């Protein structure tokens, strides 16, 4: 390593945020990047740990070669670090912003609760690459004559399309919305990742030969059979979009919404898209309750504050986790521990071990959320019922699987009991010839970094299927 004793000489230093009172006034990113000299010090903290769990299956789904590019950053080899990073990850500026960083939990230094700031360094490498003009189109030098359709332009679809185009295939990417990105664009708020990062990758991919088709809803506006007839292979990367049914009465009250339509509408508004034909969902001047304890719920919290909510309360059915996990029983795996997101830190009230019994309303409008405390088995505790005042309630309890009607139904592919399209992680083939699947549509609701991994692996499988061999990494 560049500085074997770096972890002894330098403390962990994280990016700071704009003050909460300032950042809730806008939808832009609010992290304050570290100076280059500080990034180099953080990279120097990567120790010669023998077995780098950070880039194994426990730490990084795309298997980023983290110790290697940390050493390159420390020694000033930023462009080589970028090349190394791109060898495993098509979009490090995405994951450097929104990945929960299981790599840091798997870091050897996390045994002392001071892991290397891997996510910060990854973002810095990618951002410097764009600033210096090192990231340019990489078009194929030969053409294979094969034509491939990719349905869905989320992280899995984008990664697969880019990989396939770079080995010479004619790639057509079909997107239901007006712009590319999937939930990267329409689900993740701009304050976590501004959409300019997606736009410049789209321009890069267009220069590499990928053809984007927008406002095309495969299975609705275009029959799936049209794609199979006109392409040598079809890759489905439509995500897991069916929301989980909360099983609550009175969800038809005005003011009760699933999380994703709310986030999508605000992201379109922030991006300057026309939302005049959509009934506005706005939190300004309202008391908001968010049901769910995950990232989507947190995004609803941050969005509500930026819209001017009077109060935001988040309900989590789980008990409050310990602040520090037992390393000897968990490390290097992802631990259950108390975490506070930047959105929650902006003023949210958090209720743990709180289940939702129902919704209250008056004249068809939501007025409150009925709750009860639960035990460790999530069973209601008698006498602990309470009601939260609410003008808006967002259901952010995850996804039940893929939407069957439309593309999946028309394709005839086999699905499992969770509505995931059946395919393995070796060849990503569905039960239908020349039809492949990757990302959340195959594995269920998951992380962006897993979607990128699956898109890359599916591209490898498709190229090998069509050509007999492939140079794409597995």
């Amino acid at each position: 390593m560049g500085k074997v004793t770096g972890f002894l000489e330098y403390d962990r230093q994280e990016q700071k945020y704009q003050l909460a009172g300032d950042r809730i006034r806008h939808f832009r990113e609010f992290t304050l990047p570290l100076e280059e000299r500080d990034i180099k010090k953080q990279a120097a903290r990567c120790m010669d740990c023998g077995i780098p769990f950070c880039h194994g299956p426990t730490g990084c789904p795309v298997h980023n070669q983290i110790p290697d590019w940390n050493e390159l950053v420390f020694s000033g080899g930023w462009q080589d670090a970028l090349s190394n990073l791109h060898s495993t990850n098509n979009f490090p500026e995405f994951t450097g912003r929104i990945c929960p960083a299981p790599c840091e939990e798997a870091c050897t230094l996390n045994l002392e609760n001071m892991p290397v700031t891997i996510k910060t360094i990854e973002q810095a490498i990618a951002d410097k690459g764009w600033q210096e003009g090192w990231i340019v189109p990489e078009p194929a030098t030969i053409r294979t004559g094969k034509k491939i359709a990719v349905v869905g332009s989320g992280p899995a679809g984008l990664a697969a399309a880019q990989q396939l185009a770079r080995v010479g295939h004619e790639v057509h990417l079909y997107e239901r919305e007006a712009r590319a990105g999937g939930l990267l664009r329409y689900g993740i708020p701009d304050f976590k990742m501004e959409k300019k990062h997606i736009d410049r990758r789209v321009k890069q991919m267009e220069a590499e030969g990928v053809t984007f088709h927008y406002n095309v809803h495969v299975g609705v506006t275009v029959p799936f059979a049209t794609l199979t007839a006109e392409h040598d292979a079809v890759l489905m990367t439509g995500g897991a979009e069916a929301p989980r049914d909360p099983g609550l009465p009175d969800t038809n009250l005005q003011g009760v919404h699933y999380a994703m339509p709310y986030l999508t509408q605000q992201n379109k508004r922030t991006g300057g898209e026309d939302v005049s034909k959509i009934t506005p969902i706005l939190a300004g001047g309202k008391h908001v309750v968010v049901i769910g304890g995950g990232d989507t719920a947190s995004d609803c919290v941050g969005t509500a504050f930026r819209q001017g909510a009077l109060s935001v309360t988040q309900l989590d059915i789980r008990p409050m986790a310990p602040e520090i996990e037992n390393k000897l029983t968990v490390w290097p795996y992802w631990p259950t521990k108390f975490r506070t997101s930047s959105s929650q830190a902006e003023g949210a009230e958090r209720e743990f071990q709180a289940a939702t019994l129902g919704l209250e309303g008056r004249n068809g409008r939501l007025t409150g959320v009925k709750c009860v405390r639960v035990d460790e088995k999530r069973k209601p505790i008698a006498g602990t019922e309470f009601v939260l005042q609410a003008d808006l309630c967002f259901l952010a309890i995850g996804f039940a699987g893929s939407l069957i009607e439309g593309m999946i139904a028309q394709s005839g592919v086999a699905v499992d009991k969770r509505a995931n399209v059946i395919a393995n992680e070796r060849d990503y083939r569905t039960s239908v010839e020349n039809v492949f699947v990757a990302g959340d549509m195959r594995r269920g609701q998951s992380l962006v970094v897993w979607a990128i991994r699956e898109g890359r692996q599916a591209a490898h499988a498709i190229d090998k299927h069509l050509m007999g061999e492939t140079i794409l990494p597995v």
Side-chain angles (χ1 to χ4, degrees):
M1 303 301 298
K3 194 170 183 64
V4 176
T5 59
F7 73 101
L8 297 172
E9 299 176 36
Y10 306 119
D11 291 331
R12 175 180 165 93
Q13 183 180 358
E14 300 181 56
Q15 296 182 104
K16 290 183 170 55
Y17 297 152
Q18 290 180 356
L19 296 176
D22 294 329
R23 67 181 188 247
I24 63 171
R25 300 177 186 274
H26 61 79
F27 280 88
R28 301 184 302 276
E29 293 178 16
F30 52 79
T31 54
L32 305 175
L34 297 179
E35 298 288 340
E36 185 172 317
R37 64 176 181 274
D38 294 322
I39 292 291
K40 293 179 69 173
K41 289 179 181 178
Q42 293 306 298
R45 296 187 66 246
C46 187
M47 59 189 289
D48 189 7
C49 57
I51 300 177
F53 287 96
C54 59
H55 70 78
T58 59
C60 182
V62 294
H63 300 292
N64 281 338
Q65 300 170 58
I66 295 164
D68 295 346
W69 44 255
N70 274 332
E71 181 175 3
L72 288 165
V73 167
F74 170 70
S75 62
W78 285 85
Q79 192 166 1
D80 288 337
L82 177 68
S83 178
N84 185 298
L85 185 50
H86 271 146
S87 71
T88 56
N89 186 351
N90 295 66
F91 314 117
E93 67 272 32
F94 299 173
T95 50
R97 284 172 166 80
I98 59 177
C99 184
C103 52
E104 294 190 17
E105 298 292 351
C107 176
T108 301
L109 291 179
N110 191 39
L111 289 169
E112 296 294 329
N113 299 305
M114 295 290 282
V116 176
T117 54
I118 299 167
K119 178 179 173 179
T120 296
I121 299 168
E122 179 179 26
Q123 179 185 335
I125 295 170
D127 288 352
K128 189 174 181 65
W130 284 108
Q131 293 164 8
E132 299 294 334
W134 297 334
I135 301 176
V136 296
E138 301 175 27
T141 56
I142 59 171
R143 310 303 300 177
T144 65
K146 301 294 185 180
K147 187 177 179 181
I148 302 168
V150 178
V151 185
S153 66
L158 289 173
Q162 184 167 61
Q163 293 292 93
L164 291 166
R166 285 179 172 178
V167 291
H169 299 303
E170 180 184 342
V171 180
H172 292 262
L173 202 158
Y174 296 87
E175 169 55 46
R176 179 187 60 197
E177 300 289 346
R179 297 176 184 173
L183 291 188
L184 285 170
R185 182 181 296 276
Y186 295 108
I188 295 172
D190 280 52
F191 57 79
K192 290 177 70 173
M193 188 182 81
E194 294 177 13
K195 303 311 178 270
K196 64 183 180 183
H197 304 297
I198 303 173
D199 294 336
R200 58 190 181 188
R201 283 295 183 181
V202 169
K203 290 181 180 179
Q204 180 194 34
M205 292 172 63
E206 288 175 335
E208 292 170 346
V210 178
T211 302
F212 287 80
H213 302 270
Y214 299 114
N215 298 307
V216 177
H217 194 173
V218 176
V220 178
T221 60
V222 173
F224 187 81
T226 300
L227 266 61
T228 55
E230 296 179 355
H231 300 83
D232 296 292
V234 177
L235 173 63
M236 301 191 300
T237 59
E241 295 185 297
R244 181 172 286 114
D245 184 358
L248 295 174
D250 299 320
T251 54
N252 60 337
L253 287 169
Q254 189 174 347
V256 181
H257 306 273
Y258 281 107
M260 204 48 64
Y262 173 59
L263 296 175
T264 298
Q265 182 184 120
Q266 180 56 50
N267 285 350
K268 288 184 176 182
R269 189 180 291 117
T270 303
E273 293 189 42
D274 182 13
V275 294
S276 61
K277 297 180 181 178
I278 305 173
T279 302
I281 310 172
L282 297 169
K286 297 177 180 178
H287 296 285
V288 178
V289 173
V290 181
I291 300 175
D295 290 336
T296 300
S298 180
D299 292 343
C300 289
V301 170
T303 300
F305 278 129
R306 282 158 181 77
Q307 290 181 346
L310 291 178
S311 69
V312 181
T313 304
Q314 185 177 357
L315 301 178
D316 194 333
I317 198 170
R318 300 169 297 182
M320 182 183 291
E323 291 195 10
I324 299 177
E325 72 277 19
N326 185 336
K327 306 291 186 183
L328 295 180
T329 60
V330 180
W331 183 87
Y333 296 97
W334 181 261
T336 298
K337 65 180 179 181
F338 184 72
R339 305 171 192 269
T340 300
S341 72
S342 59
S343 292
Q344 292 163 340
E346 290 164 359
E349 293 292 332
R350 301 170 70 182
E351 297 282 354
F352 293 95
Q353 287 185 265
T356 307
L357 293 175
L359 304 165
E360 293 184 345
R362 186 181 303 115
N363 299 324
R365 293 189 61 87
L366 177 73
T367 59
V369 178
K370 295 183 288 186
C371 310
V372 65
R373 300 295 177 190
V374 296
D375 59 23
E376 292 183 354
K377 295 183 179 180
R378 301 186 179 183
K379 300 295 184 182
I381 301 174
T384 63
E385 296 83 0
F386 61 100
V387 177
L388 293 172
Q389 180 183 356
D391 307 299
L392 271 180
C393 178
F394 297 117
L395 308 174
I397 56 174
F399 298 88
S402 305
L403 293 173
I404 300 298
E405 58 274 13
M407 178 173 67
I408 292 178
Q410 290 184 15
S411 69
V413 297
V415 298
D416 63 20
K417 61 182 179 181
R418 293 187 176 183
N420 298 324
V421 178
I422 297 174
N424 62 46
E425 293 181 72
R426 295 186 302 277
D427 56 29
Y428 290 84
R429 296 189 192 187
T430 70
S431 58
V432 176
E433 183 68 20
N434 295 325
V435 177
F436 299 77
V437 65
D440 288 4
M441 187 169 274
R442 189 198 73 84
R443 67 181 294 115
Q445 180 185 0
S446 190
L447 302 175
V448 167
V449 67
W450 269 113
I452 293 173
R453 170 67 171 170
E454 294 225 342
R456 289 171 60 89
Q457 288 182 313
H460 170 98
I462 292 170
D463 187 40
K464 188 173 183 179
H465 170 70
L466 294 177
M467 307 303 295
E469 59 183 7
T470 180
I471 60 171
L472 289 175
V474 67

